[in-house]
């Protein structure tokens, strides 16, 4: 393996594996059986409620209202938009290889999502078309995220089953938050401090 | 850089006495653990299959550990195929050396870090500092600990022992020397303190070339690492730097992607008491055009194979570091995390440290299995069903043996018997109710020399300790 980890570390591998082998020589355990199941559609009302529980802004709208709702959510803020968004965002900046510092100078980002999870109010991005690379939905302070009602699945197992682990995934449940100061929840630390979700259809 | 260290800490009873005398600490802890307990109970109560999920989580981990060599080899192969470089480390020094080597190769004098217990365990920050490389902690609580030249005291909330006034003072006094100073008019309102951290760390995220992380899970079949977090500092460290090094204990393996779902359900509910934590990131090696283009994974033993070889203690390696056992522990609530002398405090620390380090070598480590009243509350909340009381009792026997030159002693035999009684927390609860013995049982069996001699054990109460704890919500009502 290229530049690092030669020399004594090669034998570290063999030794760790040997220790593992010896330590587990008499161990047996069978993994619990699981039934494979098809992802079930989730309850969209429940999804919207639970996203809102995290102090995110949630709006339901029809497909023809999306662009107006995006504009209202941005309220004049400049947004970066990924390729393949499919909605016109006037005054937006395309992501043409912006640096992290460039992104830090941009107020907002508008993306699509891959999956919504009703039970937990979670949105998952797989950073495919319309979702942008990971930095895009991280550095700007306002994230406007468009989720189609038919993307909402019932629960976490359904979400895991419908996602491709070869892609980078970001599971988002509300705006960034911390409870590190006396367990008081504060919304907004390093990620976007405002999450605005549009549930379409 | 922190100069604080757990090395050379006094044994638990002594350290606990000092902590008990600190009433601010006890107040902070009681408030914090009480709050998390309530949140956890609410979200766990929402799921009607909670017990099934616990059983499944334990079963998946057990199977992963039983066949760990196979899964590690698969993980290595998948990671490599996905463009990552895999390193192996027998111990802390080797693991730290890999990270330092990567940092040196990129000629950086700083790295940004997302909270990772494994990196604290291996003393990474100190090892990097010795090479002139600053390791910036970016989790708010870790930042408070680092700036305060302090030690973490809780798995989830490492600065749980600090209140808002103390945190403000640390920021005002220490931020300037580490980078962007705290705002002049900083108050102790939590949102302002969080904003000060945002501003202070943003410049570090934007310029960092090398990020360092741990991983909550490593999926063998797909070569996927998983980081579960709240603040977004994890996403910053995993996404913005050109180079990422992840330090991963070999026990973090989950064999298949499908099995991850169980853990993504039980971890946030057990940990922060939320249906889901704000951010979970998963990635498999290098993604062209997105995130770090050079990815390293260091698979660390550092005592894990010792724990794995212990047939009773092996189950401690199922731990997903949720910290639920700390929040329900009457001993932890009163002493705090520092008394355990390790990055792993509380009930899990009382078993994990002796299992990783071995008994009969260090007095501090040997005292830990006694830092418990064996009340069983930890077992009841553990999302991977680690039977901490039984492991404690077994370790006490090992400690006694180690101090008698390995000869099985009368006490050791008694403890083995007690171990069977404690093997099920339900059975223990039953035994306590039937006999009214509670802690008196432990004393009569000679179970708790070091710990119980440090406090005055009352005579066996009519109501068991565990029954009292539950009835009074930990003595609060
Ligand atoms: S032992 Fe169980 S309850 Fe304690 S931190 Fe580990 S997983 Fe959580």
């Amino acid at each position: 393996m290229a530049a690092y980890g030669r020399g004594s570390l090669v034998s570290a591998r063999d030794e760790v594996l040997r220790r593992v082998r010896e330590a587990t020589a008499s161990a047996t355990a069978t993994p619990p059986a699981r039934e494979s199941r098809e992802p079930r559609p989730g309850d969209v009302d429940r999804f919207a409620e639970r996203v809102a529980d995290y102090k995110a802004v949630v709006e339901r709208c029809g497909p023809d209202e999306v662009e107006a709702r995006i504009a209202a959510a941005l309220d004049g803020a400049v947004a970066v938009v990924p390729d393949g968004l499919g909605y016109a965002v006037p005054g937006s900046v395309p992501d043409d290889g912006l640096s992290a510092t460039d992104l830090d100078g941009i107020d907002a980002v508008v993306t699509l999502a891959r999956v919504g999870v009703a039970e937990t109010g979670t949105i998952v991005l797989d950073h495919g078309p319309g979702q942008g690379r990971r930095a895009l939905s991280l550095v700007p302070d306002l994230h406007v995220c468009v989720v189609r009602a038919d993307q909402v699945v019932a629960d976490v197992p359904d979400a895991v089953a419908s996602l491709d682990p070869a892609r980078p995934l970001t599971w988002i449940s509300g705006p960034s938050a911390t409870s590190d100061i006396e367990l008081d929840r504060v919304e907004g630390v390093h990620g976007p401090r405002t999450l605005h979700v549009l549930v379409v259809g | 850089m922190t100069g604080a260290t757990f090395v050379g800490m006094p044994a638990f009873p002594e350290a606990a006495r000092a902590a008990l005398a600190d009433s601010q600490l006890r107040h902070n802890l009681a408030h914090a653990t009480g709050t998390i307990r309530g949140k956890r109970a609410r979200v766990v109560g929402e799921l009607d299959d909670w017990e099934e999920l616990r059983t499944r989580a334990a079963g998946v981990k057990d199977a992963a550990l039983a066949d760990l060599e196979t899964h590690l080899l698969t993980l290595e192969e998948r990671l490599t195929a996905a463009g990552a470089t895999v390193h192996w480390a027998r111990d802390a020094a080797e693991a730290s050396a890999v990270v330092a080597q990567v940092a040196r190769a990129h000629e950086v004098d700083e790295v940004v870090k997302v909270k990772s217990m494994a990196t604290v365990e291996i003393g990474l920050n100190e090892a990097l500092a010795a090479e002139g490389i600053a390791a910036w902690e970016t989790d708010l609580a870790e930042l408070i600990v680092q700036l305060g030249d302090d030690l973490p005291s809780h798995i989830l909330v490492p600065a749980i022992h600090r209140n808002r006034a103390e945190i403000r003072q640390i920021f005002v006094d220490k931020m300037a020397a580490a980078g962007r100073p705290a705002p002049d008019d900083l108050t102790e309102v939590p949102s302002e303190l969080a904003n000060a951290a945002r501003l202070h760390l943003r410049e570090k995220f934007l310029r960092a070339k090398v990020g360092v992380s741990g991983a909550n899970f490593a999926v063998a079949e797909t070569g996927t690492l998983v980081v579960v977090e709240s603040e977004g500092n994890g996403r910053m460290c995993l996404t913005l730097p050109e180079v990422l090094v992840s330090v991963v204990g070999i026990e973090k393996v989950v064999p298949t992607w499908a099995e991850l779902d169980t853990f993504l359900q039980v971890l946030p509910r057990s940990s922060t008491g939320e249906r889901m934590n704000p951010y979970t990131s998963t990635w498999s090696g290098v993604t062209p055009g997105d995130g770090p283009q050079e990815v390293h994974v260091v698979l660390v033993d550092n005592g894990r194979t010792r724990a794995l070889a212990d047939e009773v203690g092996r189950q401690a390696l199922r731990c997903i570091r949720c910290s639920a056992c700390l929040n329900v522990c009457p001993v932890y609530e009163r002493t705090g995390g520092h008394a355990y002398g390790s990055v792993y405090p509380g009930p899990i620390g009382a078993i994990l440290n002796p299992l990783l380090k071995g008994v009969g070598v260090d007095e501090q480590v040997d005292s830990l299995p006694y830092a418990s009243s064996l009340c069983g509350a930890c077992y009841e909340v553990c999302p991977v069903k680690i039977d901490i009381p039984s492991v404690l009792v077994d370790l006490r026997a090992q400690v006694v043996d180690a101090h008698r030159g390995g000869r099985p002693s009368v006490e050791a035999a008694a403890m083995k018997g007690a171990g069977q009684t404690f093997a099920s927390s339900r059975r223990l609860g039953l035994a306590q109710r039937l006999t009214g013995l509670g802690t008196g049982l432990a004393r009569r069996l000679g179970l708790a020399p070091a710990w119980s001699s440090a406090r005055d054990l009352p005579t066996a109460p009519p109501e068991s300790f565990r029954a009292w704890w539950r009835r009074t919500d930990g003595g609060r009502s």
Side-chain angles (χ1 to χ4, degrees):
Chain A
M1 291 309 321
Y4 317 100
R6 292 201 179 279
S8 67
L9 291 172
V10 173
S11 65
R13 175 183 189 275
D14 293 343
E15 191 172 337
V16 172
L17 287 170
R18 178 186 57 77
R19 292 179 190 167
V20 168
R21 192 157 52 240
E22 286 172 12
T24 53
S26 64
T28 52
T30 333
R34 10 184 346 129
E35 327 145 15
S36 65
R37 66 181 198 203
E38 286 299 304
R40 301 154 302 169
D43 179 333
V44 180
D45 290 332
R46 186 182 222 206
F47 171 71
E49 266 163 43
R50 297 211 157 168
V51 175
D53 278 352
Y54 296 117
K55 304 221 174 96
V57 183
V58 185
E59 289 181 275
R60 309 276 304 263
C61 66
D64 48 353
E65 297 168 89
V66 176
E67 290 182 357
R69 296 290 184 112
I70 291 174
L74 291 174
D75 192 23
V78 173
V80 59
V81 295
D83 282 350
L85 181 67
Y87 298 108
V89 182
S92 61
V93 181
D95 176 27
D96 47 12
L98 299 167
S99 69
T101 306
D102 294 337
L103 287 173
D104 193 42
I106 297 175
D107 307 322
V109 57
V110 183
T111 73
L112 307 179
R114 171 68 181 73
V115 163
V117 187
E119 183 173 57
T120 58
T122 303
I123 294 156
V124 189
L125 272 54
D126 72 1
H127 304 281
Q131 299 170 57
R133 60 200 165 97
R134 286 173 284 174
L136 227 57
S137 42
L138 172 63
V139 181
D141 206 14
L142 164 64
H143 181 189
V144 180
C145 188
V146 183
V147 184
R148 290 195 323 269
D150 65 10
Q151 291 181 309
V152 176
V153 298
D155 56 17
V156 171
D158 285 345
V160 169
S162 58
L163 291 163
D164 175 6
R167 300 204 54 83
L169 302 174
T170 306
W171 298 58
I172 299 172
S173 305
S176 77
T178 182
S179 299
D180 281 353
I181 302 163
E182 297 182 18
L183 274 289
D184 241 17
R185 188 177 161 103
V186 176
E187 274 76 25
V189 196
H190 302 296
R193 286 184 283 190
T194 307
L195 175 66
H196 194 126
V197 180
L198 299 175
V199 184
V200 184
Chain B
M1 294 296 85
T2 179
T5 167
F6 283 117
V7 175
M9 285 277 291
F12 185 84
E14 201 183 314
R17 242 196 316 269
L20 285 168
D22 183 343
S23 63
Q24 177 68 57
L25 172 73
R26 290 182 66 181
H27 173 82
N28 293 356
L29 280 170
H31 171 71
T33 55
T35 307
I36 312 188
R37 276 204 298 275
K39 289 173 69 183
R40 174 197 169 274
R42 263 195 307 283
V43 294
V44 163
E46 279 182 12
L47 296 182
D48 46 20
D49 59 347
W50 182 252
E51 286 309 312
E52 213 179 296
L53 284 171
R54 287 178 75 211
T55 305
R56 177 176 291 279
V60 169
K61 278 283 191 177
D62 273 349
L65 292 168
D67 203 7
L68 189 57
E69 187 188 13
T70 309
H71 299 309
L72 286 171
L73 288 169
T74 307
L75 177 66
E76 179 188 44
E77 190 219 303
R78 301 312 304 159
L79 279 168
T80 307
T85 303
V86 177
H87 311 261
W88 299 75
R90 278 169 286 223
D91 55 28
E94 280 184 352
S96 292
V98 174
V99 183
Q101 212 176 347
V102 173
R104 270 200 315 269
H106 291 275
E107 296 176 345
V108 295
D109 58 6
E110 64 174 5
V111 301
V112 287
K113 273 185 71 191
V114 49
K115 176 166 177 271
S116 142
M117 316 222 41
T119 59
V120 183
E121 176 196 324
I122 64 171
L124 178 63
N125 292 6
E126 295 75 19
L128 290 177
E131 308 233 5
I133 301 162
W136 303 116
E137 295 291 352
T138 64
D139 181 78
L140 179 51
E142 295 281 5
L143 175 72
I144 295 164
V145 167
Q146 183 172 52
L147 290 175
D149 204 8
D150 201 352
L151 291 166
S153 65
H154 188 277
I155 290 178
L156 172 71
V157 198
I160 201 166
H161 57 293
R162 297 289 199 185
N163 65 21
R164 60 186 72 189
E166 294 174 296
I167 293 167
R168 177 188 168 273
Q169 202 55 50
I170 290 169
F171 282 7
V172 167
D173 293 345
K174 301 290 181 64
M175 268 186 175
R180 181 173 173 153
D184 285 337
D185 51 355
L186 184 65
T187 73
E188 54 188 56
V189 175
S191 59
E192 277 193 34
L193 295 171
N195 190 47
R198 177 185 172 96
L199 295 170
H200 178 77
L201 288 172
R202 180 80 37 148
E203 61 173 19
K204 293 192 161 71
F205 289 134
L206 293 178
R207 70 169 185 235
K209 284 180 74 180
V210 177
V212 176
S213 83
N216 293 88
F217 307 101
V219 181
E221 144 192 274
T222 56
T224 308
L225 299 191
V226 181
V227 165
V228 173
E229 54 133 354
S230 295
E231 296 170 10
N233 60 311
R235 293 177 66 193
M236 293 278 177
C237 294
L238 301 173
T239 309
L240 298 186
E242 296 157 24
V243 181
L244 174 64
V245 193
S246 303
V247 178
V248 183
I250 53 173
E251 85 286 14
K252 297 289 178 192
V253 167
V254 172
T256 68
W257 173 252
E259 283 163 329
L260 189 63
D261 65 359
T262 312
F263 300 99
L264 293 182
Q265 290 174 88
V266 294
L267 178 54
R269 287 178 202 260
S270 302
S271 180
T272 48
E274 296 168 297
R275 294 182 185 120
M276 190 58 90
N277 50 290
Y279 299 133
T280 296
S281 298
T282 79
W283 72 102
S284 306
V286 173
T287 307
D290 187 347
Q293 297 299 297
E294 182 178 322
V295 170
H296 298 265
V297 178
V298 190
L299 298 173
V300 184
D301 180 350
N302 203 34
R304 284 160 180 75
T305 48
R306 180 202 294 273
L308 191 62
D310 184 312
E311 283 180 22
V312 178
R314 177 181 296 154
Q315 58 184 306
L317 296 178
R318 293 184 209 142
C319 175
I320 56 174
R321 314 276 190 263
C322 72
S323 70
C325 58
L326 278 62
N327 301 329
V328 297
C329 178
V331 176
Y332 176 85
E333 181 172 322
R334 280 155 182 77
T335 64
H338 291 157
Y340 295 81
S342 156
V343 64
Y344 306 112
I348 181 61
I351 60 172
L352 195 57
N353 292 301
L355 286 164
L356 293 176
K357 294 171 187 164
V359 298
V361 182
D362 181 283
E363 191 207 347
Q364 206 281 331
V365 171
D366 286 0
S367 73
L368 290 177
Y370 298 97
S372 168
S373 61
L374 301 177
C375 77
C378 47
Y379 172 61
E380 281 176 25
V381 295
C382 178
V384 286
K385 285 180 132 176
I386 300 171
D387 186 355
I388 295 175
S390 293
V391 180
L392 283 167
V393 171
D394 188 72
L395 285 167
R396 289 178 186 184
Q398 292 186 29
V399 169
V400 172
D401 279 350
H403 288 272
R404 297 189 175 219
R407 261 183 304 125
S409 63
V410 179
E411 282 101 315
M415 281 177 225
K416 285 256 152 72
Q420 279 149 21
T421 307
F422 295 132
S424 132
S425 121
R426 268 186 49 230
R427 237 189 293 155
L428 171 61
L430 191 65
Q432 286 178 343
R433 278 195 299 279
L434 289 177
T435 62
L437 276 178
T439 51
L441 170 69
R443 189 178 51 179
R444 275 234 300 256
L445 289 170
L447 288 186
W451 168 239
S452 63
S453 67
R455 55 174 189 177
D456 221 3
L457 269 187
T459 48
E463 181 181 31
S464 79
F465 178 76
R466 192 160 76 143
W468 169 83
W469 183 258
R470 197 178 298 193
R471 179 173 59 78
T472 61
D473 185 26
R476 243 174 308 280
S477 57

